[in-house]
Amino acid sequence: MTETNGAAPEVLGLRKFKIYTRTGDSGSSSLYTGERLRKDCAFFEAMGNVDELNSCIGIAREFVGDIDNQVALQLEEIQSRLIDVGSAIATPASARQAAKVTHTRYDAKHTVTLEGWIDALDEPLPPLRHFILPGGGKAAACLHQARSVCRRAERSVVALACLGSGAPEQFDVGVQGSGSIVSPAGDADGAGDAERAAATDVQVAEDIMDPAVTVYLNRLSDYLFTAARFLAVQEGKPEVTYQKAK
């Protein structure tokens, strides 16, 4: 690392940029395509939730690594893919920058990878006949927390996609003022009622959100739930089931 004439230090020949830029001090930030929007708009709400999810998975991975290295490696891969999810959210397909849209397009093969991991983790698990309480050891508990945050991230992404089509500037409104940040369908997954789920299907506005992103987040919550159960079994922790009030 060298420093000359007060210039920024260089690392391996690359200029080191400052962490702070002051450009967001007024409460706005930029999408990858360059549009500046309020930080409380639906785009940044979705990206923030995905970022929080990534941090939760990072905490879980620290505990998982002491129990099952293979699952820890899967979580590491997922964390990288969530960075890609954030990039896809920050690059609406309606932007007039085809190269950036193409560069950040999310590949549906990542969901197929998740499904393969889910099937492998689920294979040795006992059948699920009752609701289970989040817990089952530190690793499993952290994975359950990540699952809950994943559902929130998914809801915010779906809400963004359902706001309609058009240029990103039209969504430059605070989340609380939009009236649309909560999905009307809620979390229907796992309810066991296919007809009701079909009745609440939403059409993702593809010029705002790559449909592959919402599918990935939906499958990721299934993965995190299955991985939590798997880690609890690996640690020999019992699954505590829901008990109806007496």
Side-chain angles (χ1 to χ4, degrees), residues 111-171:
T111 297
V112 177
T113 298
L114 280 182
E115 290 173 345
W117 292 346
I118 292 170
D119 292 341
L121 293 174
D122 186 61
E123 178 65 27
L125 298 178
L128 188 62
R129 295 189 172 90
H130 306 281
F131 288 111
I132 61 172
L133 305 183
K138 293 178 180 178
C142 287
L143 287 169
H144 277 298
Q145 181 186 28
R147 170 187 57 80
S148 299
V149 175
C150 186
R151 284 298 190 200
R152 170 153 47 85
E154 180 191 2
R155 289 194 298 272
S156 62
V157 167
V158 170
L160 171 61
C162 291
L163 286 177
S165 60
E169 290 88 346
Q170 79 174 55
F171 305 111

Side-chain angles (χ1 to χ4, degrees), residues 8-181:
E10 295 183 358
V11 180
L12 299 178
L14 299 176
R15 182 179 178 182
K16 184 176 180 180
F17 293 94
K18 287 186 175 182
I19 295 298
Y20 57 90
T21 63
R22 299 191 178 96
T23 58
D25 290 353
S26 62
S28 67
S29 191
S30 296
L31 298 180
Y32 181 48
T33 47
E35 295 90 350
R36 290 201 70 82
L37 304 174
R38 280 173 45 172
K39 289 185 177 181
D40 62 344
C41 79
F43 277 100
F44 294 118
E45 174 73 10
M47 284 187 277
N49 286 331
V50 171
D51 185 36
E52 182 181 350
L53 168 60
N54 208 333
S55 296
C56 288
I57 291 177
I59 294 173
R61 182 164 60 85
E62 292 301 311
F63 291 111
V64 171
D66 296 330
I67 305 167
D68 191 295
N69 186 61
Q70 186 62 39
V71 176
L73 290 174
Q74 291 174 2
L75 294 174
E76 184 177 323
E77 167 70 15
I78 288 168
Q79 287 186 278
S80 289
R81 299 293 66 78
L82 287 175
I83 297 292
D84 295 337
V85 166
S87 297
I89 296 171
T91 316
S94 59
R96 299 183 184 89
Q97 300 184 39
K100 287 186 176 181
V101 171
T102 300
H103 179 67
T104 59
R105 183 169 292 126
Y106 203 73
D107 198 325
K109 71 180 183 181
H110 302 313
T111 297
V112 177
T113 298
L114 280 182
E115 290 173 345
W117 292 346
I118 292 170
D119 292 341
L121 293 174
D122 186 61
E123 178 65 27
L125 298 178
L128 188 62
R129 295 189 172 90
H130 306 281
F131 288 111
I132 61 172
L133 305 183
K138 293 178 180 178
C142 287
L143 287 169
H144 277 298
Q145 181 186 28
R147 170 187 57 80
S148 299
V149 175
C150 186
R151 284 298 190 200
R152 170 153 47 85
E154 180 191 2
R155 289 194 298 272
S156 62
V157 167
V158 170
L160 171 61
C162 291
L163 286 177
S165 60
E169 290 88 346
Q170 79 174 55
F171 305 111
D172 194 12
V173 60
V175 169
Q176 298 302 321
S178 71
S180 302
I181 197 60

